[in-house]
Amino acid sequence: MFKWLFKKKGCAKHMNNKLEVIGIDHGWSMMKTISQVFVTGVKEITTTPAFFGDVLEYEGKYYKIGTVRQEVKDTKVEDDSFYLLTLAAVAKELKRRGLKEAKVFLAVGLPLTRFGAERNDFIKYLTKNKRVDFKYENEPYHIEVDDVAVFPQCYAAVVDKIPTMAKKTLIVDIGSWTIDIMPVINKSPDESKCVTIPRGLITCMRSINEQCVRQLNGEIDEAEIQSIMRYGRSDIDDEYFAIIKAEIEDFVEKVYNSIREFGYNLKTTPIVFVGGGAVVMKTFGNHDAKNISYKNAMKEQANDVFEICSYVDGLEKKIDSMTEELTNMQKQIKEMQEDTLVNNAKKALSEAQQRYAIILREEFSCLESITNRDTINWILKNEYRRSIMEHLPKRITENGIDYILVGDYYIPDLRLPEESRPIGRWGRMHRDYLKE
């Protein structure tokens, strides 16, 4: 899985030498980073604004960020809206980290079944400008977009829990616009049975306002509806609240019906609801069974996974580079004939091994705040050992004795001499007995 994702990230104090990895969830309703959530809204301001709160200045134009939600389109690359929202998200994260200039690596997500079709276009969209100067809330920012990694959203939300799941578990990711259904069988996603349904929470909010207009001739602000979805209560007029509650309950029942239609038993199949809609299913659903669970912290979980994965991939590439250099040095040693040259090469190889061990520890220092220290040490030990052991010669000769590599050790390749001598009477009798 990690081949999708990873790139290195540095701490803020090393901003000149390290990448700032920023995970962003581009939802149709909400933009989310590991620490920020704001409405997916962007509106151009035609004159110089009087107030610069949540105002993005880019290429001589001003944009108000996070007001009214964008209308859903076929893809997220049809116009510049999500590009501008990405700049705003980056600015918010850099401000939290105390930075105004940075080389950034963007880790983003797409719906599960649209991942393959839209991935390349989304990467081109977000990397169309390698160096970008802009202002957010009247503060100047300069970024260099190093690269972009794209992940399937549903998988990212539960990747840390898959090792503990039952033999067959159904993951249901309810987002703003889509519902992703992903079966996990024997602790591995079954992509052949993954489904994306375009009936997320936005369709529910639309249905609520349609009924409010039809019955009461008035609409409800989406922010109020989202609050009711999240907390299950409100102090608005009882008639409006009754319509909202009934429509949300109808939405929840339709989600369960969709799960049934795809052949899953609601009473026996372990089901995990994730995404923003998980809290809706928990608050307004009537299926209170032991086999159903909810994981609501999408902002932290998904973007944490995006960023951790980006670290590990960068480390894999660094290890590959180290392995190649160590291999070249091994070849040089084999080609050398004089003892002095061999000793110098062995010394250089030892120094290189120590140098790269230090580099790996430095790279992992920023990961230790997120992942378990024992896991990091296990990765470091095994990757370092693998990079050395794979390229040791299988046989060596020293002091006239042949040695063969077995596991981590060279052991003498000893052979008993073949003997040829006559067999005595008792030996012949024992041989005949064995043949019988």
Side-chain angles (χ1 to χ4, degrees):
M1 108 175 188
F2 290 132
K3 289 298 182 183
W4 288 343
L5 316 177
F6 302 127
K7 205 77 169 177
K8 63 179 180 176
K9 172 187 176 183
C11 300
K13 64 182 180 180
H14 301 302
M15 59 167 286
N16 292 328
N17 300 320
K18 303 291 184 181
L19 292 176
E20 290 297 320
V21 178
I22 301 177
I24 304 175
D25 184 354
H26 296 75
W28 282 110
S29 181
M30 293 288 182
M31 292 283 293
K32 298 174 282 291
T33 70
I34 197 171
S35 66
Q36 307 291 322
V37 179
F38 58 96
V39 175
T40 305
V42 55
K43 178 72 173 178
E44 183 178 353
I45 304 173
T46 57
T47 61
T48 302
F51 305 100
F52 287 90
D54 292 320
V55 171
L56 172 73
E57 182 181 350
Y58 176 65
E59 293 186 341
K61 295 182 179 181
Y62 298 94
Y63 302 91
K64 183 69 174 179
I65 301 296
T67 53
V68 180
R69 174 181 59 80
Q70 294 290 110
E71 287 295 323
V72 176
K73 298 180 176 64
D74 289 338
T75 68
K76 296 175 180 178
V77 300
E78 289 189 13
D79 57 31
D80 287 336
S81 296
F82 274 101
Y83 186 80
L84 299 172
L85 290 164
T86 300
L87 295 181
V90 170
K92 288 174 179 286
E93 272 301 306
L94 292 183
K95 180 179 180 180
R96 182 180 68 90
R97 304 177 192 188
L99 300 174
K100 295 294 179 63
E101 297 184 5
K103 179 183 289 188
V104 299
F105 183 96
L106 300 179
V108 301
L110 284 172
L112 187 62
T113 59
R114 298 297 303 161
F115 175 79
E118 298 182 6
R119 175 181 176 274
N120 290 338
D121 287 341
F122 205 32
I123 291 175
K124 291 178 182 178
Y125 177 77
L126 295 175
T127 57
K128 60 183 178 181
N129 298 315
K130 298 296 290 184
R131 293 177 176 80
V132 188
D133 291 290
F134 63 97
K135 288 185 178 182
Y136 189 72
E137 296 187 331
N138 216 25
E139 293 289 340
Y141 291 90
H142 173 76
I143 63 172
E144 180 179 341
V145 182
D146 182 77
D147 207 346
V148 174
V150 184
F151 317 99
Q153 294 167 334
C154 181
Y155 182 74
V158 295
V159 63
D160 58 326
K161 301 298 182 184
I162 285 180
T164 64
M165 288 181 179
K167 185 175 181 180
K168 181 178 180 179
T169 303
L170 188 67
I171 313 301
V172 183
D173 181 1
I174 303 176
S176 300
W177 185 242
T178 60
I179 300 175
D180 286 329
I181 298 177
M182 180 184 73
V184 176
I185 300 175
N186 294 327
K187 306 186 187 307
S188 178
D190 186 351
E191 192 171 357
S192 67
K193 296 182 180 179
C194 292
V195 180
T196 296
I197 307 171
R199 293 200 299 270
L201 296 174
I202 290 177
T203 62
C204 179
M205 291 189 288
R206 287 178 177 174
S207 178
I208 288 170
N209 270 321
E210 287 173 1
Q211 290 300 319
C212 287
V213 170
R214 181 175 293 127
Q215 298 180 37
L216 302 175
N217 198 30
E219 291 189 344
I220 300 295
D221 188 271
E222 285 191 358
E224 183 66 36
I225 297 175
Q226 289 171 345
S227 177
I228 295 172
M229 287 179 168
R230 187 175 297 114
Y231 302 111
R233 61 183 183 276
S234 176
D235 57 0
I236 65 170
D237 180 83
D238 290 343
E239 290 183 308
Y240 281 99
F241 182 79
I243 293 174
I244 294 171
K245 184 172 181 293
E247 290 298 315
I248 296 176
E249 290 174 348
D250 182 63
F251 170 82
V252 170
E253 192 58 32
K254 287 179 179 177
V255 173
Y256 280 117
N257 288 339
S258 295
I259 295 174
R260 287 193 193 95
E261 289 175 3
F262 289 110
Y264 300 101
N265 191 318
L266 298 180
K267 293 184 178 180
T268 61
T269 303
I271 301 174
V272 181
F273 287 104
V274 300
V279 67
V280 176
M281 301 301 295
K282 183 177 182 180
T283 304
F284 293 92
N286 56 8
H287 293 269
D288 188 16
K290 294 181 179 179
N291 61 303
I292 298 177
S293 59
Y294 310 88
K295 185 178 179 185
N296 304 328
M298 272 294 292
K299 171 169 69 70
E300 293 82 0
Q301 295 292 341
N303 290 292
D304 257 353
V305 170
F306 292 172
E307 296 189 9
I308 292 172
C309 289
S310 296
Y311 294 138
V312 177
D313 194 52
L315 290 173
E316 287 179 349
K317 293 176 181 177
K318 184 174 288 293
I319 290 171
D320 290 342
S321 175
M322 291 162 45
T323 302
E324 182 179 357
E325 182 173 341
L326 293 174
T327 301
N328 291 335
M329 297 186 71
Q330 292 278 8
K331 291 179 179 178
Q332 292 176 12
I333 291 176
K334 291 180 181 179
E335 295 172 354
M336 295 176 182
Q337 299 298 325
E338 298 181 7
D339 291 342
T340 302
L341 295 177
V342 172
N343 291 334
N344 289 339
K346 288 182 178 179
K347 181 180 178 181
L349 177 60
S350 176
E351 291 174 351
Q353 292 169 348
Q354 295 174 5
R355 182 170 70 256
Y356 285 124
I358 293 172
I359 291 174
L360 279 176
R361 292 191 183 95
E362 290 178 349
E363 294 293 339
F364 272 110
S365 64
C366 290
L367 271 174
E368 290 179 347
S369 64
I370 302 175
T371 56
N372 183 280
R373 183 185 300 271
D374 291 339
T375 301
I376 294 172
N377 289 336
W378 182 85
I379 295 173
L380 180 61
K381 177 181 177 181
N382 281 275
E383 291 297 340
Y384 177 75
R385 176 177 171 273
R386 177 180 63 81
S387 67
I388 300 301
M389 297 302 298
E390 284 184 353
H391 303 286
L392 289 177
K394 301 300 181 182
R395 291 177 175 273
I396 61 173
T397 301
E398 288 190 9
N399 299 324
I401 300 175
D402 293 331
Y403 293 84
I404 185 171
L405 180 64
V406 178
D408 296 351
Y409 302 94
Y410 282 105
I411 62 174
D413 187 11
L414 302 179
R415 300 176 185 272
L416 292 174
E418 294 184 0
E419 294 184 342
S420 178
R421 57 191 178 90
I423 303 175
R425 176 186 177 189
W426 297 107
R428 291 195 301 271
M429 292 175 65
H430 185 64
R431 181 187 62 189
D432 294 339
Y433 171 73
L434 291 176
K435 288 182 179 180
E436 294 177 358

